[in-house]
Amino acid sequence: MAYTCSDYRLEMILLGLTRRLTEESLSEEEKKQLLEEIHRIEIVMGL
């Protein structure tokens, strides 16, 4: 399976979302939304 620009893009989005989770200023709702988005991307990537 070839590694594409789309794969790289999704990885970078996932990395950014994961890093945002470490911010102390996030509310519980924001954390929940980030986790949902991370989960959605992981499904698309087959992780």
Side-chain angles (χ1 to χ4, degrees):
M1 185 171 156
Y3 186 73
T4 66
C5 291
S6 295
D7 295 331
Y8 178 77
R9 182 175 184 272
L10 283 175
E11 282 184 10
M12 293 302 107
I13 291 170
L14 187 59
L15 178 64
L17 292 173
T18 303
R19 284 186 178 172
R20 274 202 67 206
L21 276 177
T22 63
E23 294 178 11
E24 294 178 12
S25 62
L26 290 176
S27 70
E28 288 302 315
E29 181 63 29
E30 289 171 318
K31 285 181 183 181
K32 180 183 173 194
Q33 290 174 349
L34 285 172
L35 288 170
E36 288 172 359
E37 184 67 12
I38 288 170
H39 182 67
R40 187 189 67 76
I41 292 172
E42 288 176 338
I43 290 172
V44 170
M45 293 177 70
L47 300 177

